[in-house]
Amino acid sequence: MNNSFNNKPHLKLLGVVCFLFCSVLTYGGDNEDTQVYFSAKTIDGEITKLEKVIYWPYTAAWNMPDTSICPGTCVTLAAIANAGHDPPYTFIYTGAGTPAPSTPAGSQGSWTDVSFTVCPAVTTTYTVSIDDAYGDTPATASVTITILPAGDPLCGGVPCNISALGANTSACAPATNTYDVSGSITFVSPPAGGTLTVTDCHGNNQIFNPPFVSPINYNIIGLTADGLACNVVAVFSADPACTFTTNYNAPASCVPAVCTITNLTANPTACSIANNTYDLSGSISFNDPPVAGTLTVTDCNGNNQIFNAPFVSPLNYNITGLTADGLGCNVTAVFSADAACTLTTNYNSPPACNACTTDAGLDDNSCTLSYNLNGTPTSGTGTWTGPAGAIYTPNANDPNATVTVLVPGVYTFNWSIVDAAACTANDDVDISFSFMSIPNTITNPTCNGGSNGQVILAPQGGGVPYSYQWNAAAGNQTSNPGINLSAGNCMVTVTDVYGCSLDSTFTLTEPAAFTYTTASQNANCGLPNGWATVIGFSGGTPGYTYNWGAGPTPNDTAFNLMPGNHIVSVIDGIGCSATFGITVADNPSPVANFTMTPNPTTIFNPLVNFFDQSMAYSPPITSWNWNFGGLDTNILQNPTYTFPEDTGSYPITLTVVDANGCIDTVVQTLIVKSEYAIYIPNAFTPDDDALNDGFFPTGFGISENDYTFMIFDRWGEQIFESNKRFTPWNGTYKGKPVKNGIYVWKLVFTDYNGIDHTEVGHVNVVR
């Protein structure tokens, strides 16, 4: 509970005025802790008693400290003003359910306001502001009523508890090898806020928002079936201790059957002396084969046998005429419709059984239409044979001849030898010849400075697929076509599947750049009478239109423009554009201004001089028109005028015009004030002789309103008062003539200018 108290310093003045003979002034002062006042009592102008009154600061308080209550309960509050100043106290409350401001009569010292009952639904702070009879800075106090949770033991509640969490798994879905887990969550006393989250052992979850009503059903879908143990956990975020875990086993995996080759045998025959070859045979066993495609059995040198669907296990294969060399080799079986369904078996080739052997070299690639062959004779002489039209240099009998083909492609060359003993041998080599060219189609950028050019490539020769690498000028792209290209040179390197590459450079052009000049005419007086124009626009593609902000037009000039920067877009015949601004300057209007003297003036001095203070930027001011409050006009630059001898406020108007016809007007107010004078005699003879029988002020310029004329005797007692202007006193008090002597008069009045005056003097009554 927070309190504050009032300790503002005070100064209080009490005064008693004794006209003519005495004046008594008493005062009181205070410090920061107490307040002290002095009060004087007088009889017939003489002080008879001086009293000292002391007041202390006051504070605001509540009848209870900060308090916690259960939902649906109430408390009774009462605000208290402790000690201090004089009542009545004013109590002003804030907070839901508080009463309206009150001002009980109270008594000096402490006071407790009427109590009231509040039943807050949420934690609430109540504040009271208390003021006393002197209206100083109020004292304040606050008290906070905190609402406990419904489950708080102090309120007889039950803590949040999850009593059950089901975990029911669906069957595994073969198409995705997934399952769902679902169940029901049973609980009591859930939190009012936060979330309820159900999470499995892999972090998959479902989140529920309040309000929470037991039971709640959950369902987490798409979980991978693996047959392993898992669990689900339910927990309230607003009460982490309110949680429950249930274990379960995921269903076993249900992935569909996969093709497998379970066995592949490799049985080589003995070497045949006639041709140094052997045969390879064996059996292929498999499960769940594809229903289409082929089954290919291939040895390490590319010799193969192909089987077509349908496939029935086991299948027997036989590959004949393999060269015997005594080296390790292998055989691989693979289904074309399921490349993952494959198996490889290693074996050793039988040793060579014919001393007459040869080697045509390794398979290779050539990025031209020529290749240096590498035959190796072991004895006798040899000959190269190959595709029709192939040319061998120096001749076909040279084991290292250079062969040239007519068109790109993959060709097989055979190197065969015959020795003196008529032993023959041969070997094949496959050479891939690439001869690339890059036909292309260039599309230049549409606009000068644009980047929408492109180059479409159509490479020929070599082996597909091709890869592309553009240089930095083309943005290092790796695609075909090259796009978003600007004018200038760019280069691409095309590489085929064999690693052969070819560079090509392209030159893109662009339309000529736009050229133009602009001009404008100033606007006058800040009005829409300027213009702007585009001169000699060229470049791009002719057929220009101009958009000044209201849509395309063939007009290169815009009229009736306000001062400022005007944006124009010029579009050529194919949509290329240039946007720029043209400034229309302003020949500004003159600024009317003047002074006048005297101002204010009075009815005694009605002649006023007027002085032109107007400013003209360009061109100069050519005429002046004065209006003197509707009384008269004048066209001189610096006129004078004599106003009527009457008070009032006159609007003075000056209108100036410059050489462009631009106009400006200014209005100022001239004030003509009244004068006043007053005469009051110092004696009169109220003897009913019709001569000087009344005493009163006279004069002019004095208002009939706020007029008071008073007479006092020598003891300060008021014996006459009149609120009607210039009403005389006849020298009587309560219907009887007063004694001869001196009396004090006091006159309070307002003049015609609204100024208050107070005059004091004395008058001698003579009879």
Side-chain angles (χ1 to χ4, degrees):
M1 182 170 67
N2 297 319
N3 301 335
S4 68
F5 64 89
N6 181 306
N7 61 354
K8 181 177 178 182
H10 294 273
L11 177 63
K12 189 159 186 174
L13 300 177
L14 303 173
V16 178
V17 178
C18 299
F19 291 97
L20 300 179
F21 291 99
C22 67
S23 177
V24 178
L25 177 65
T26 64
Y27 72 94
D30 63 71
N31 56 36
E32 295 184 354
D33 297 321
T34 60
Q35 298 174 347
V36 181
Y37 295 86
F38 295 93
S39 176
K41 294 185 179 180
T42 62
I43 297 178
D44 294 333
E46 293 186 5
I47 297 175
T48 61
K49 185 178 182 180
L50 185 64
E51 294 182 346
K52 178 179 180 181
V53 183
I54 301 176
Y55 296 104
W56 286 267
Y58 66 101
T59 62
W62 289 95
N63 64 326
M64 66 172 58
D66 293 343
T67 302
S68 296
I69 63 175
C70 296
T73 59
C74 305
V75 294
T76 299
L77 299 176
I80 304 169
N82 290 317
H85 295 175
D86 290 340
Y89 297 108
T90 298
F91 294 79
I92 300 176
Y93 299 94
T94 58
T98 56
S102 65
T103 307
S107 62
Q108 185 172 317
S110 299
W111 179 262
T112 300
D113 196 15
V114 177
S115 63
F116 57 92
T117 299
V118 293
C119 306
V122 296
T123 296
T124 304
T125 297
Y126 300 92
T127 302
V128 64
S129 175
I130 305 175
D131 201 355
D132 69 351
Y134 297 117
D136 295 321
T137 302
T140 61
S142 61
V143 62
T144 298
I145 306 302
T146 301
I147 305 303
L148 297 171
D152 193 292
L154 294 177
C155 299
V158 177
C160 173
N161 179 56
I162 300 177
S163 58
L165 172 62
N168 306 310
T169 59
S170 66
C172 177
T176 58
N177 192 41
T178 61
Y179 71 97
D180 303 338
V181 61
S182 62
S184 178
I185 312 163
T186 304
F187 50 84
V188 296
S189 302
T195 59
L196 170 60
T197 302
V198 184
T199 308
D200 78 344
C201 59
H202 300 294
N204 306 291
N205 61 41
Q206 184 175 3
I207 299 175
F208 300 92
N209 294 312
F212 307 111
V213 179
S214 179
I216 291 178
N217 297 320
Y218 74 92
N219 187 26
I220 304 175
I221 63 175
L223 309 180
T224 301
D226 55 13
L228 301 178
C230 193
N231 61 45
V232 287
V233 178
V235 62
F236 287 97
S237 64
D239 187 357
C242 191
T243 183
F244 197 95
T245 301
T246 297
N247 298 317
Y248 71 91
N249 288 322
S253 175
C254 57
V255 176
V258 178
C259 170
T260 57
I261 298 177
T262 59
N263 190 36
L264 173 61
T265 62
N267 305 310
T269 65
C271 177
S272 172
I273 297 176
N275 54 14
N276 193 42
T277 63
Y278 70 98
D279 299 337
L280 180 66
S281 62
S283 174
I284 314 165
S285 299
F286 46 82
N287 297 320
D288 301 306
V291 296
T294 61
L295 170 60
T296 301
V297 183
T298 308
D299 79 345
C300 61
N301 295 308
N303 305 289
N304 60 43
Q305 184 178 1
I306 300 175
F307 300 91
N308 294 313
F311 309 109
V312 178
S313 180
L315 282 177
N316 297 318
Y317 71 92
N318 187 31
I319 305 173
T320 63
L322 308 180
T323 300
D325 55 13
L327 301 178
C329 194
N330 60 50
V331 62
T332 299
V334 61
F335 287 96
S336 64
D338 186 355
C341 190
T342 182
L343 187 64
T344 298
T345 298
N346 297 318
Y347 72 92
N348 289 321
S349 167
C353 58
N354 186 342
C356 180
T357 61
T358 189
D359 184 4
L362 301 176
D363 295 344
D364 202 357
N365 303 315
S366 175
C367 296
T368 68
L369 297 181
S370 297
Y371 183 78
N372 293 325
L373 297 169
N374 296 290
T376 305
T378 57
S379 62
T381 60
T383 302
W384 287 103
T385 58
I391 300 173
Y392 302 92
T393 303
N395 55 64
N397 301 116
D398 188 336
N400 299 117
T402 298
V403 63
T404 301
V405 297
L406 300 178
V407 295
V410 179
Y411 299 100
T412 299
F413 297 90
N414 179 265
W415 174 248
S416 62
I417 64 168
V418 179
D419 64 8
C423 175
T424 64
N426 64 79
D427 190 26
D428 292 337
V429 64
D430 292 332
I431 307 298
S432 174
F433 293 88
S434 297
F435 184 76
M436 288 194 301
S437 62
I438 312 177
N440 58 82
T441 302
I442 297 177
T443 302
N444 292 313
T446 305
C447 303
N448 184 278
S451 58
N452 62 342
Q454 71 171 11
V455 177
I456 301 175
L457 306 176
Q460 296 179 357
V464 294
Y466 302 101
S467 62
Y468 307 90
Q469 181 60 61
W470 297 83
N471 67 353
N476 297 312
Q477 301 179 59
T478 58
S479 61
N480 179 25
I483 61 174
N484 300 326
L485 303 178
S486 302
N489 295 327
C490 61
M491 187 183 76
V492 66
T493 299
V494 181
T495 304
D496 72 358
V497 70
Y498 304 117
C500 298
S501 62
L502 181 64
D503 295 337
S504 186
T505 299
F506 311 99
T507 300
L508 283 73
T509 62
E510 63 184 352
F514 294 137
T515 60
Y516 57 89
T517 58
T518 63
S520 64
Q521 174 65 50
N522 292 353
N524 292 324
C525 317
L527 299 174
N529 52 19
W531 55 261
T533 185
V534 181
I535 303 172
F537 195 93
S538 64
T541 303
Y544 310 115
T545 59
Y546 302 82
N547 189 340
W548 296 91
T553 173
N555 299 323
D556 58 7
T557 302
F559 297 95
N560 302 321
L561 300 180
M562 291 290 291
N565 187 42
H566 296 271
I567 304 300
V568 58
S569 294
V570 184
I571 302 97
D572 72 0
I574 60 174
C576 299
S577 64
T579 300
F580 48 90
I582 304 176
T583 299
V584 175
D586 183 29
N587 294 323
S589 300
V591 179
N593 194 18
F594 65 91
T595 60
M596 48 190 170
T597 183
N599 184 31
T601 187
T602 69
I603 58 176
F604 292 165
N605 186 23
L607 178 64
V608 179
N609 297 292
F610 296 91
F611 302 98
D612 174 43
Q613 302 293 322
S614 303
M615 294 180 59
Y617 297 95
S618 176
I621 295 173
T622 57
S623 68
W624 297 263
N625 291 282
W626 298 84
N627 186 304
F628 304 116
L631 300 174
D632 202 352
T633 61
N634 197 297
I635 60 173
L636 295 178
Q637 182 177 4
N638 299 297
T640 61
Y641 183 72
T642 300
F643 287 83
E645 294 182 359
D646 192 9
T647 62
S649 297
Y650 298 90
I652 310 301
T653 303
L654 170 61
T655 301
V656 295
V657 183
D658 68 11
N660 285 329
C662 298
I663 301 173
D664 191 38
T665 298
V666 64
V667 178
Q668 298 185 34
T669 300
L670 174 72
I671 299 174
V672 179
K673 293 186 175 182
S674 174
E675 297 281 2
Y676 85 93
I678 188 169
Y679 168 73
I680 303 176
N682 59 6
F684 78 112
T685 57
D687 53 5
D688 296 326
D689 62 356
L691 296 175
N692 199 24
D693 285 334
F695 173 65
F696 59 93
T698 60
F700 60 86
I702 299 173
S703 173
E704 293 182 355
N705 301 320
D706 301 322
Y707 176 92
T708 303
F709 183 54
M710 296 170 285
I711 306 295
F712 300 88
D713 63 15
R714 61 179 296 184
W715 303 109
E717 182 179 3
Q718 181 177 320
I719 61 175
F720 175 78
E721 179 177 336
S722 173
N723 299 112
K724 186 176 181 180
R725 185 177 58 178
F726 303 154
T727 297
W729 176 46
N730 61 3
T732 64
Y733 176 53
K734 295 182 179 181
K736 296 180 180 180
V738 300
K739 297 179 180 179
N740 288 350
I742 297 175
Y743 295 83
V744 175
W745 58 264
K746 184 177 183 180
L747 175 63
V748 179
F749 66 94
T750 301
D751 65 22
Y752 283 159
N753 295 324
I755 299 175
D756 295 331
H757 300 270
T758 299
E759 302 290 342
V760 178
H762 64 272
V763 63
N764 193 10
V765 176
V766 180
R767 285 190 176 86

